Amino acid sequence: MAAEQVVVHKGLEGIYFDTTRICHIDGQRGILLYRGYNIHDLAANATYEEVCYLLLHDRLPTKQELAEFDAALKASRSLPQTVMDVIRTFKDGHPMDVLRTAVSALGTIDPDVKDMSMEANLRKGIRLIAQFPTIVAAHERIRKGLDPVPPRDDLGHAANFLWMLKGEEPDPDAARAMDLDFILHAEHSSNASAFAARVAASTLADMHSAVVAAIAALKGPLHGGAAEAVMEMVEAIGEPERAEAWVQEQLAAKKRIMGFGHRVYKTEDPRARHLRELSRILGEKYGDPKTFQILQNIEKAMEPLRAKGIYVNVDFYAGSIYHYLGIPADLYIPIFAIGRIVGWVAHILEQYSDNRLLRPLLHYVGPMEREWVPIEQRG
């Protein structure tokens, strides 16, 4: 094609590459639906386990179905000793690198490793949903010189993660906060990591390989790292009354304020509402209202940019939730992954169900028909 006929969409922005039944986002009105259910209804009423079932099966479960699904998750929480050995071997690595490596190891020994049927892939996905929290918690314990805490069958998904992480019974508020965080991070359409998973799945790579691709994409700071960056910003500001001046200084220097703006949303990210309120509640509960107040003052200072469609996103208050729960900063992205794994699995299964190899084009703008020069004549 002639150069003038080619329209390049950098970052594939505005391009629809397929249809989906998993997630709908209306970025102009700030609407997020999982399988048709509004995120506000799910945040107020659902558990993470219910949301997982919904995303995997396209409907809410009955009591019996939820009980069976919950039992399947609990039965898959423990890690094989070979994978625990892998975590110990790489205990000094970044938690995302350890998570990625552990998933690769799991892929070599999964009982359905050679079975690519939809039923087997669903079983693999459920096992991964159950194993992600165990990997992250076990690594955190091991790198601190502590023994991993075995999972408990009497705790829900979120509460069990906090139990394995700290070795202490989580209080109901902490468990619900973690559960809500997982719900809000569970799925978000064709974000970079979900797209990476679908690209890998479109080659008919196995479930674990596609999930590894997603983990690799999530690790990048432009996708999963904003929550940690927001808390670094809060620490740099130090006091609530300094927030406005600090923001103005950063904007004047053409620097980005982390936790604001989104490729899709041109109004407030609907997930931010729930994390904002949760941050306020936890700040009061744990005697640290200053962190929340700094965030509030940053948000107020950024209000003039709303005219340009720049509002808080899900990452802005997420870091404060982890901070209040006493979670190290380099676990923020792995916790994002613990919530998002179900979305990745749903996308991988959907890609398998009606597959076409994802193979977009690049418009070449380099030189044409260059003449070969022998090495002796190259100056």
Side-chain angles (χ1 to χ4, degrees):
M1 295 178 66
E4 61 270 15
Q5 294 178 290
V6 175
V7 178
V8 175
H9 297 267
K10 293 284 284 186
L12 299 180
E13 187 167 0
I15 299 296
Y16 291 93
F17 69 90
D18 208 338
T19 60
T20 184
R21 291 181 57 86
I22 301 171
C23 181
H24 171 68
I25 302 171
D26 184 331
Q28 298 299 321
R29 296 192 294 164
I31 294 173
L32 172 61
L33 308 179
Y34 293 175
R35 300 284 192 182
Y37 290 93
N38 194 291
I39 191 63
H40 299 313
D41 291 332
L42 296 173
N45 301 295
T47 63
Y48 181 69
E49 289 88 336
E50 284 181 282
V51 168
C52 286
Y53 190 98
L54 169 66
L55 289 171
L56 296 177
H57 295 282
D58 200 9
R59 59 184 175 82
L60 290 171
T62 65
K63 285 185 178 181
Q64 181 64 28
E65 288 169 337
L66 182 59
E68 292 173 356
F69 181 74
D70 184 54
L73 285 175
K74 289 176 177 176
S76 300
R77 286 174 175 172
S78 295
L79 297 174
Q81 186 57 49
T82 50
V83 177
M84 293 297 288
D85 291 342
V86 167
I87 294 172
R88 291 185 186 278
T89 299
F90 300 108
K91 65 182 178 65
D92 296 326
H94 188 282
M96 284 296 283
D97 295 334
V98 175
L99 177 62
R100 185 188 67 233
T101 305
V103 171
S104 287
L106 285 167
T108 67
I109 56 177
D110 189 277
D112 290 312
V113 65
K114 295 182 179 180
D115 191 340
M116 283 293 286
S117 68
M118 193 60 69
E119 295 78 14
N121 281 317
L122 179 58
R123 291 194 297 269
K124 294 177 201 176
I126 291 172
R127 282 193 283 271
L128 283 168
I129 294 166
Q131 291 163 334
F132 262 46
T134 312
I135 295 169
V136 174
H139 175 235
E140 169 64 8
R141 302 279 297 181
I142 289 169
R143 70 175 178 169
K144 287 184 174 179
L146 302 171
D147 290 331
V149 176
R152 280 172 48 180
D153 289 344
D154 61 325
L155 294 176
H157 194 76
N160 179 65
F161 170 63
L162 293 175
W163 159 253
M164 293 190 296
L165 192 68
K166 296 175 175 291
E168 301 172 355
E169 182 93 26
D171 68 57
D173 289 339
R176 176 53 186 163
M178 198 78 265
D179 190 71
L180 178 58
D181 182 81
F182 289 162
I183 290 171
L184 296 173
H185 282 96
E187 164 56 12
H188 211 238
S189 193
S190 58
N191 54 84
S193 56
F195 183 68
R198 292 190 76 130
V199 170
S202 79
T203 72
L204 297 185
D206 62 271
M207 172 67 69
H208 288 76
S209 295
V211 169
V212 165
I215 295 171
L218 183 64
K219 187 186 177 186
L222 293 185
H223 186 11
E228 184 175 351
V230 170
M231 290 310 296
E232 291 172 355
M233 178 172 64
V234 168
E235 185 175 344
I237 292 171
E239 298 295 333
E241 55 270 18
R242 291 192 63 239
E244 183 174 0
W246 190 92
V247 167
Q248 297 306 325
E249 290 170 7
Q250 298 299 301
L251 293 176
K254 307 295 184 184
K255 293 183 179 180
R256 184 180 178 185
I257 307 299
M258 299 304 293
F260 285 84
H262 196 279
R263 177 71 73 87
V264 179
Y265 294 116
K266 303 308 175 187
T267 185
E268 181 175 291
D269 184 330
R271 300 167 295 178
R273 174 200 305 182
H274 302 280
L275 292 179
R276 182 190 292 110
E277 179 62 12
L278 189 57
S279 179
R280 182 190 67 78
I281 292 170
L282 293 181
E284 294 177 357
K285 177 182 177 67
Y286 294 113
D288 180 17
K290 185 169 74 171
T291 294
F292 177 72
Q293 191 58 58
I294 291 173
L295 291 169
Q296 285 274 275
N297 288 359
I298 294 171
E299 188 174 3
K300 184 176 181 180
M302 289 289 289
E303 284 182 359
L305 275 72
R306 292 180 178 179
K308 299 180 180 180
I310 299 176
Y311 290 77
V312 291
N313 58 42
V314 70
D315 298 307
F316 187 69
Y317 285 99
S320 66
I321 307 304
Y322 311 143
H323 164 75
Y324 290 132
L325 296 180
I327 294 171
D330 64 355
L331 291 189
Y332 292 2
I333 308 177
I335 289 174
F336 188 149
I338 292 172
R340 182 57 58 84
I341 174 60
V342 65
W344 293 339
V345 171
H347 279 282
I348 294 165
L349 294 175
E350 188 174 67
Q351 186 67 40
Y352 286 154
S353 70
D354 185 22
N355 187 52
R356 182 172 175 80
L357 178 67
L358 282 165
R359 206 296 188 188
L361 301 174
L362 282 171
H363 177 49
Y364 179 73
V365 294
M368 304 289 284
E369 303 293 345
R370 300 170 84 174
E371 183 178 348
W372 172 259
V373 179
I375 194 168
E376 295 81 7
Q377 299 176 21
R378 298 175 203 160

